[in-house]
C-alpha cells in the first residue's frame, strides 16, 4: 500500500537576467545596444548591422529546446562525436590482442585512472575505497538490502522518506562529501545459486517422490527470476590547509569515522543492514557489467574466481552515437532532462526500478549533490529574487512563472527552517546480449525503459555521442561527472 503523501516542488537552477536568458547573455545584449548607440553617431547603416547581427547571435543562444539546449550545444555535441569517430577515439581494444603491451583488460575512458585501495575501520574491519586519481576523490560503496514498502503502513513509509532526507542533511553538513549515488541493478538470475542451494539439501536416501518433486522445483523455478542489487556510493574529497589532496590512509581514517552513523541512518531509511563492498566483489561487479556473459561462469564456481582490477575491463568496445557495444553486451544510456512536473508519491519509480520484460539487464543510478547549509540559504534567496524578477518583467504573469515564484518562496521558507538544497540527476542504462537481432532487441528494451520512465513522469534523453561515458558514470563506482574537465555532454547532469 502506497502512502498518500506527495512530493514535488522541484526547480531547475534559474539563469536570471532578462526573460531568464542568463546574466552573461543579458550583459552581452546591453553591450550590443551600447555599441549600436555609439556607432549610430557615425553611421546608421553600420549601427543597424551591428544591432541585427548582435541580437541575432543572442537570440540563437537564448532559444532552447525542451532538452534545455540551444543550437550551439547541439552543433558542438555532433561535431565532437564526429571528430572522435574520425580519430578512432570511440574504439577500444585490450588484452593480448591490444596494440599496446601488457595483456591486461584495463578500464577504458574516464575510468582509466580509477583504482581500488583497502582500509580498516575503527573496529579493525577491512573495507574498500574506490580511488579517483585524477580528481583526488574517494568513494565508499555500500551494499544495501531495502526492506521495501509493500507491507509497510503509511506512517512507516513516511518515516523512511523522512529518514532518507535526514541522511542527506547530515551528509551536507559533513566536510568533504561531494556526491551520493544510489544504483539499482536488475539482472536475470541464472539459477545456478538456486540449484546449488537446493541440491545441497537433498539427501542420497531421499524417497523417490520427494526427489522428483525437488527436481521439478529446480527445473521450474531456477530460471526466469531476477536479482536486484542496491548499492550506495558516497564520494569524498579531502584536502589539507594548502589545498593538496590527502593520501589514501588519512582519507580512509576520516571516512571510517562516518561509517557507523551512515549505516544507522541507512537502516532507519529502510535500507536494511548496509555493508561495505570488498575488492573482489567490486571487480566481479564491474566485470559482469562489461561482459554480461561472464555472470553464469562466475556463479558456477564453488568459489568465485579472483579477478584483478586490471583485468575487469572490456576486451573491446565501440561507442556509437546512441548505443555502446562492449564484449558480450549492447547497451544504451539515458540521462534525465527534467524531473516530474507534478507531485509524485513514494512509489512513482517502482516500475522503472523493477525488472522489465524486454530488458536483459537494467541499471538505474540516481545522483545527489548536497549543498552545505550556508550555500543553501544563499541560493534559495537567489532563486526567490530571480523568480520575482521574472514575474515583474511580464505584463501578464503566466502560470509557469507564478508556480516558479511559489516554489521559490516555499524553498526559502524550508531552508530557513534547516533544510538543505539537493541537486539530483538520473542515469538509466539497459543492456541486451550480443547476437542475432541485437539491434531489434535493444530497441524493444529502449521502448520498455522509456514507457516506464513516462509512467514515472521523468523525461529521459539518450546520451548521444557519450554512450561510453554515460555507461561508466552509471556504474556504482561513485564517479563524479562534475569533477571532470572538460565536462562534456554529461557535465550538465547535475547542474
Amino acid at each position: 500500500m502506497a502512502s498518500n503523501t506527495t512530493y514535488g516542488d522541484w526547480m531547475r537552477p534559474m539563469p536570471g537576467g532578462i526573460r531568464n536568458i542568463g546574466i552573461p547573455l543579458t550583459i552581452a545584449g546591453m553591450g550590443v545596444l551600447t555599441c549600436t548607440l555609439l556607432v549610430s553617431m557615425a553611421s546608421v547603416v553600420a549601427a543597424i548591422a551591428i544591432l541585427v547581427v548582435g541580437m541575432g547571435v543572442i537570440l540563437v543562444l537564448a532559444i532552447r529546446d525542451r532538452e534545455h539546449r540551444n543550437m550551439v550545444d547541439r552543433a558542438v555535441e555532433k561535431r565532437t562525436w564526429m571528430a572522435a569517430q574520425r580519430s578512432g577515439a570511440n574504439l577500444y581494444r585490450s588484452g593480448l590482442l591490444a596494440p599496446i603491451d601488457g595483456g591486461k583488460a584495463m578500464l577504458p575512458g574516464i575510468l582509466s585512472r580509477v583504482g581500488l585501495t583497502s582500509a580498516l575501520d575503527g573496529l579493525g574491519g577491512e573495507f574498500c575505497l574506490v580511488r579517483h586519481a585524477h580528481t583526488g576523490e574517494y568513494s565508499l560503496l555500500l551494499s544495501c538490502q531495502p526492506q521495501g514498502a509493500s507491507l509497510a503502513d503509511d506512517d512507516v513509509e513516511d518515516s523512511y522518506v523522512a529518514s532518507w532526507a535526514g541522511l542527506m542533511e547530515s551528509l551536507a553538513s559533513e566536510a568533504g562529501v561531494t556526491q551520493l549515488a544510489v544504483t539499482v541493478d536488475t539482472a536475470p538470475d541464472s539459477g545456478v545459486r538456486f540449484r546449488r542451494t537446493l541440491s545441497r539439501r537433498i539427501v542420497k536416501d531421499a524417497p523417490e517422490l520427494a526427489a522428483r518433486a525437488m527436481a521439478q522445483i529446480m527445473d521450474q523455478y531456477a530460471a526466469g527470476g531476477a536479482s536486484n542489487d542496491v548499492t550506495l556510493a558516497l564520494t569524498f574529497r579531502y584536502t589539507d590547509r594548502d589545498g593538496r589532496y590527502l593520501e589514501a590512509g588519512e582519507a580512509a581514517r576520516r571516512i571510517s569515522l562516518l561509517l557507523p552513523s551512515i549505516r544507522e541512518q541507512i537502516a532507519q531509511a529502510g535500507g536494511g543492514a548496509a555493508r561495505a563492498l570488498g575488492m573482489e566483489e567490486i571487480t566481479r561487479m564491474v566485470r559482469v557489467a562489461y561482459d554480461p556473459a561472464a555472470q553464469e561462469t562466475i556463479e558456477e564456481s564453488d568459489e568465485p574466481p579472483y579477478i584483478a582490477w586490471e583485468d575487469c575491463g572490456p576486451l573491446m568496445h565501440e561507442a556509437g552515437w546512441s548505443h555502446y557495444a562492449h564484449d558480450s553486451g549492447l547497451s544504451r544510456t539515458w540521462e534525465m532532462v527534467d524531473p516530474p512536473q507534478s507531485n509524485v508519491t513514494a512509489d512513482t519509480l517502482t516500475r522503472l526500478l523493477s525488472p522489465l520484460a524486454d530488458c536483459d539487464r537494467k541499471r538505474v543510478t540516481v545522483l545527489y549533490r548536497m549543498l552545505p547549509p550556508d550555500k543553501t540559504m544563499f541560493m534559495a534567496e537567489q532563486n526567490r529574487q530571480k523568480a520575482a524578477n521574472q514575474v515583474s518583467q511580464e505584463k501578464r504573469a503566466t502560470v509557469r512563472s507564478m508556480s516558479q515564484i511559489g516554489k521559490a518562496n516555499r524553498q526559502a521558507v524550508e531552508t530557513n527552517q534547516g533544510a538543505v538544497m539537493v541537486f539530483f540527476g538520473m542515469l538509466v542504462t539497459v543492456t541486451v546480449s550480443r547476437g542475432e537481432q541485437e539491434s531489434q532487441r535493444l530497441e524493444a528494451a529502449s521502448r520498455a525503459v522509456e514507457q516506464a520512465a513516462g509512467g514515472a513522469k521523468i523525461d529521459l534523453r539518450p546520451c548521444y555521442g557519450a554512450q561510453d561515458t554515460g555507461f561508466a558514470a552509471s556504474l556504482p563506482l561513485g564517479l563524479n561527472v562534475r569533477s571532470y574537465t572538460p565536462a562534456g555532454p554529461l557535465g550538465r547532469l547535475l547542474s
Side-chain angles (χ1 to χ4, degrees):
M1 180 178 178
S3 173
N4 295 323
T5 307
T6 59
Y7 309 93
D9 282 351
W10 298 290
M11 290 180 59
R12 292 185 62 89
M14 302 187 68
I18 298 176
R19 295 289 182 178
N20 262 341
I21 64 174
I23 296 178
L25 288 181
T26 300
I27 296 175
M30 299 300 294
V32 170
L33 292 178
T34 302
C35 291
T36 302
L37 291 176
L38 294 176
V39 174
S40 63
M41 300 177 182
S43 174
V44 177
V45 176
I48 295 176
I50 292 175
L51 181 64
V52 171
V53 173
M55 289 303 176
V57 172
I58 293 175
L59 187 64
V60 168
L61 296 176
I63 296 178
R64 298 181 177 269
D65 56 14
R66 56 182 294 271
E67 297 170 349
H68 309 282
R69 299 179 307 147
N70 54 34
M71 294 178 60
V72 175
D73 293 332
R74 293 193 295 270
V76 169
E77 184 181 63
K78 191 68 175 180
R79 291 179 64 87
T80 302
W81 154 248
M82 294 175 64
Q85 192 177 29
R86 286 193 300 267
S87 63
N90 64 319
L91 304 176
Y92 176 75
R93 169 68 70 180
S94 63
L96 295 176
L97 301 180
I100 59 176
D101 297 332
K104 298 180 179 179
M106 302 289 291
L107 290 172
I110 60 176
L111 296 179
S112 60
R113 297 186 61 189
V114 174
L116 301 181
T117 179
S118 60
L120 297 177
D121 57 18
L123 301 177
E126 186 176 358
F127 66 97
C128 180
L129 291 177
V130 180
R131 183 173 183 268
H132 307 274
H134 44 343
T135 62
E137 295 173 318
Y138 296 88
S139 295
L140 172 67
L141 308 187
L142 298 172
S143 176
C144 302
Q145 302 294 329
Q147 302 172 8
S150 57
L151 299 178
D153 294 333
D154 290 356
D155 55 343
V156 176
E157 188 172 341
D158 293 339
S159 69
Y160 287 163
V161 178
S163 299
W164 180 252
L167 171 63
M168 288 191 288
E169 288 181 4
S170 63
L171 292 176
S173 302
E174 291 289 343
V177 178
T178 59
Q179 179 180 275
L180 168 65
V182 182
T183 302
V184 180
D185 201 334
T186 305
D189 194 345
S190 62
V192 174
R193 290 177 296 178
F194 180 79
R195 291 178 183 274
R196 184 185 298 118
T197 302
L198 286 187
S199 61
R200 290 174 179 174
R201 285 162 173 77
I202 299 178
V203 296
K204 295 181 180 179
D205 57 347
E208 182 181 357
L209 179 61
R212 283 189 299 173
M214 292 295 288
Q216 291 179 0
I217 290 175
M218 284 191 290
D219 292 338
Q220 293 179 2
Y221 295 98
S227 60
N228 292 330
D229 297 323
V230 180
T231 307
L232 267 68
L234 276 166
T235 304
F236 305 84
R237 184 192 290 118
Y238 292 114
T239 57
D240 57 14
R241 295 182 181 275
D242 297 329
R244 293 174 296 188
Y245 298 131
L246 296 183
E247 296 296 332
E250 179 61 21
R253 186 190 67 82
R254 297 191 183 187
I255 295 173
S256 64
L257 298 177
L258 301 177
L259 261 176
S261 62
I262 291 174
R263 285 172 173 166
E264 181 181 357
Q265 289 177 312
I266 291 175
Q268 293 176 354
R275 62 177 183 85
L277 292 178
M279 280 190 179
E280 295 187 6
E281 291 177 298
I282 297 175
T283 55
R284 287 196 296 268
M285 173 191 64
V286 176
R287 169 69 182 277
V288 171
Y290 279 102
D291 186 11
Q295 178 181 2
E296 188 171 352
T297 303
I298 293 174
E299 292 181 352
E300 285 177 351
S301 305
D302 292 334
E303 294 185 2
Y306 172 76
I307 301 176
W309 179 253
E310 293 79 11
D311 293 323
C312 65
L315 292 180
M316 62 75 59
H317 86 199
E318 181 179 355
W321 173 249
S322 61
H323 69 275
Y324 179 48
H326 49 93
D327 284 1
S328 60
L330 183 66
S331 300
R332 178 169 293 159
T333 302
W334 293 261
E335 61 175 301
M336 186 184 73
V337 176
D338 273 323
Q341 298 298 320
S342 58
N343 290 350
V344 300
T345 59
D347 62 343
T348 299
L349 290 178
T350 300
R351 184 183 174 191
L352 183 60
L353 298 178
S354 302
L356 298 178
D358 294 325
C359 302
D360 294 347
R361 305 180 68 92
K362 177 173 57 66
R363 183 168 58 251
V364 180
T365 300
V366 185
L367 308 174
Y368 301 93
R369 179 171 64 92
M370 293 74 64
L371 285 184
D374 54 342
K375 294 183 179 179
T376 289
M377 296 188 66
F378 176 76
M379 182 164 287
E381 183 62 25
Q382 269 195 333
N383 289 339
R384 192 189 67 82
Q385 293 178 0
K386 291 177 181 178
N389 292 335
Q390 175 66 19
V391 174
S392 64
Q393 294 171 12
E394 298 177 354
K395 293 182 179 180
R396 295 182 179 179
T398 61
V399 176
R400 183 176 181 179
S401 60
M402 293 301 296
S403 64
Q404 284 286 94
I405 193 172
K407 293 177 182 179
N409 289 334
R410 288 190 293 272
Q411 187 182 83
V413 172
E414 292 176 1
T415 53
N416 192 40
Q417 295 174 351
V420 296
M421 191 174 295
V422 179
F423 293 89
F424 68 97
M426 180 183 294
L427 288 169
V428 181
T429 299
V430 65
T431 302
V432 298
S433 58
R434 302 291 298 273
E436 296 181 356
Q437 298 181 344
E438 59 183 24
S439 299
Q440 291 82 349
R441 289 187 285 112
L442 180 60
E443 294 301 326
S446 300
R447 287 192 295 269
V449 169
E450 290 171 353
Q451 289 175 1
K457 305 177 183 178
I458 293 178
D459 188 10
L460 294 179
R461 171 184 180 269
C463 300
Y464 292 118
Q467 286 292 316
D468 53 342
T469 304
F471 184 91
S474 67
L475 290 173
L477 294 176
L479 194 67
N480 188 358
V481 294
R482 294 179 58 88
S483 301
Y484 290 83
T485 53
L490 285 178
R492 299 183 300 274
L493 189 66
L494 293 177
S495 60

